[in-house]
Amino acid sequence: MTPPAARDLAIHVVPVSPDTACASVFDRLLSEPETRSIPVVRNGRPVGLVSRKNFLITYARMYGAELYGKRPVAMLMERDVLIVDAGTSCETINTRARNAFGDMRMRPFVVTENGTYAGIGDAARLMMVMADLATARATALEEQTRRAEAASASKTQFLASMSHELRTPLNAIIGFADMMRLRTLGEVQPPRYQEYVEDIHKSGVHLLNMINELLDMAKIESGHVELRESVFFPMDVGLDVLRMLRPSIADAELQLRVTLAEGLPPIYADQQQIRRVLINLLSNAIKYTPAGGTVTLSVCVCGPDDGCGAEGMLLTVEDTGIGIPAEKLEKVLEAFEQVENSFTRTRSGTGLGLALTKAMVEAHGGRLWLESELGKGTKAHALLPSSRIVTEAPARRSAI
């Protein structure tokens, strides 16, 4: 249904000219008790409005009739009148009335057709129309939200089932490719096939990692995040992750720095998820840092005055890579968002790494945020709340 316009709200009230005597207008208002306003029009063009209430208050007071009876109504008419064209939408009228009169939006307005007076717009009817529009839009929004939630649930279920269907044959492909790659049953002939087997295995592992990320994202979106918590030292996990990623760091020709605060206490968290948080952040840093750059892992206990916004265990991965534009700092933490666009990207991936990392940190009651400067590098901070720190256990330090 098309929303009503000004012409649909207009009521034709016979106008008066600015030269009409106030006494005549007074007599007319007495004879027309339902008339709330009378337009004042000169040569078809509205120039003002006589408000019943204001006019009668002025005219009926002591000596009002003697002062104004024979004078033109232009002396008592209101000049700050809202004039709108007949085709103006109710929303536009409401906005203009709010801007013009503020809290006095109940004042009537004059409707014109091609600049000529057409009628008086009833503010009460305008407010009823706006209320109906708001109700209709709220209903439509509720229906859209319901459909979006249903579509999201269907998408999540589809991703979960498809990921399972894909992983089963893919695991077989990776397994057999691994057997051939390791020459378990003998040499691969001809030798050139060995290169193909290596490519099949590498591609299969890469595809499996992407499917696992999609499945994890589907679980998170469906609210099925389970934490398997235990007490452990985060620095041990960090050092294990660094040992695992050392070949990648060496292949990328990067320098690695580790800064671990003395006497770091253990934490109570899901060790596997914290490991994945570090793997994702470090892998991102390695992926987007050119050769010769530096990747730094820092772990410390953050106090209220350290700029973290809260107390807790702070894990920071810093790189000297390509950086992230300021307008994308928040967007890259969303699913399927990447630093590079589809035309400039030179790195593969689903764009789920940071979104999964953010979800895992938040599942622990923590917070993930980024600091970056384009062309100079990025800092990724993961803050676990102080409630995760185990203070009664003895602290120790592991060596790399």
Side-chain angles (χ1 to χ4, degrees):
M1 183 181 73
T2 304
R7 63 170 56 89
D8 302 308
L9 304 180
I11 301 172
H12 186 76
V13 178
V14 178
V16 296
S17 75
D19 301 323
T20 303
C22 289
S24 299
V25 175
F26 177 74
D27 292 340
R28 177 177 168 183
L29 289 174
L30 290 182
S31 63
E32 300 177 8
E34 298 300 321
T35 300
R36 299 300 173 191
S37 302
I38 298 176
V40 181
V41 176
R42 185 190 296 277
N43 299 324
R45 306 281 178 173
V47 294
L49 198 66
V50 174
S51 166
R52 180 186 191 89
K53 178 181 177 181
N54 295 338
F55 180 88
L56 290 181
I57 289 175
T58 302
Y59 194 84
R61 70 186 180 184
M62 185 177 295
Y63 306 121
E66 289 78 2
L67 287 173
Y68 301 108
K70 296 181 180 180
R71 298 192 178 189
V73 74
M75 294 187 63
L76 297 183
M77 73 178 184
E78 298 177 5
R79 301 179 184 274
D80 57 335
V81 180
L82 178 62
I83 302 175
V84 299
D85 187 78
T88 306
S89 69
C90 288
E91 290 177 293
T92 302
I93 299 171
N94 188 57
T95 300
R96 288 183 58 187
R98 187 167 56 247
N99 293 338
F101 308 128
D103 293 335
M104 300 175 63
R105 294 192 300 276
M106 286 298 293
R107 293 174 62 175
F109 52 92
V110 179
V111 180
T112 60
E113 189 84 51
N114 298 322
T116 303
Y117 167 75
I120 297 291
D122 187 351
R125 290 183 61 192
L126 173 64
M127 294 188 70
M128 291 177 61
V129 168
M130 294 306 301
D132 290 342
L133 283 175
T135 301
R137 284 175 180 168
T139 302
L141 181 60
E142 185 177 348
E143 177 62 19
Q144 290 175 2
T145 301
R146 187 192 64 77
R147 291 181 180 178
E149 289 174 349
S152 179
S154 299
K155 179 202 70 174
T156 299
Q157 182 60 39
F158 172 77
L159 284 175
S161 60
M162 284 303 298
S163 297
H164 174 74
E165 294 296 328
L166 287 170
R167 283 199 301 177
T168 301
L170 190 55
N171 280 327
I173 293 172
I174 294 173
F176 286 123
D178 201 36
M179 287 180 59
M180 298 170 67
R181 185 174 65 90
L182 298 176
R183 303 178 180 86
T184 304
L185 300 179
E187 292 293 327
V188 177
Q189 295 295 335
R192 182 67 181 271
Y193 283 172
Q194 185 69 33
E195 297 179 19
Y196 300 156
V197 171
E198 293 283 353
D199 290 340
I200 292 171
H201 182 267
K202 185 182 298 182
S203 299
V205 170
H206 177 67
L207 183 56
L208 181 59
N209 288 335
M210 293 177 67
I211 292 173
N212 285 336
E213 286 186 346
L214 287 171
L215 182 58
D216 289 340
M217 200 69 225
K219 288 180 179 178
I220 288 171
E221 289 184 343
S222 63
H224 298 148
V225 181
E226 298 180 2
L227 297 180
R228 298 179 180 178
E229 297 161 315
S230 61
V231 177
F232 61 94
F233 285 86
M235 56 187 177
D236 291 346
V237 176
L239 297 176
D240 287 343
V241 170
L242 288 175
R243 277 191 285 268
M244 182 183 72
L245 293 178
R246 266 180 173 164
S248 298
I249 294 173
D251 290 343
E253 301 178 13
L254 303 176
Q255 294 184 4
L256 172 64
R257 293 177 183 171
V258 180
T259 304
L260 300 176
E262 290 291 339
L264 282 173
I267 59 174
Y268 180 67
D270 186 320
Q271 184 170 347
Q272 187 59 31
Q273 287 206 12
I274 298 303
R275 181 185 301 274
R276 289 192 61 188
V277 166
L278 290 173
I279 289 174
N280 288 346
L281 294 181
L282 286 165
S283 297
N284 250 21
I286 294 169
K287 182 189 298 186
Y288 292 105
T289 303
T294 302
V295 174
T296 304
L297 170 64
S298 305
V299 185
C300 67
V301 175
C302 191
D305 300 324
D306 295 333
C308 303
E311 297 183 20
M313 181 77 71
L314 184 65
L315 314 174
T316 300
V317 174
E318 181 179 1
D319 65 62
T320 57
I322 63 176
I324 304 171
E327 66 274 10
K328 296 200 72 174
L329 275 177
E330 293 297 328
K331 289 187 68 67
V332 293
L333 296 176
E334 300 174 7
F336 306 109
E337 286 288 341
Q338 297 183 334
V339 176
E340 300 173 305
N341 61 40
S342 57
F343 299 103
T344 64
R345 61 181 295 198
T346 57
R347 286 85 170 173
S348 61
T350 59
L352 288 173
L354 284 174
L356 285 170
T357 303
K358 180 174 181 283
M360 288 185 282
V361 172
E362 290 178 349
H364 285 80
R367 184 168 69 98
L368 178 73
W369 73 97
L370 305 175
E371 297 178 41
S372 186
E373 188 174 349
L374 200 59
K376 294 189 177 181
T378 301
K379 287 183 181 180
H381 304 283
L383 178 67
L384 301 176
S386 57
S387 58
R388 293 284 174 182
I389 299 176
V390 181
T391 56
E392 64 270 16
R396 65 181 177 82
R397 181 176 178 83
S398 297
I400 297 180

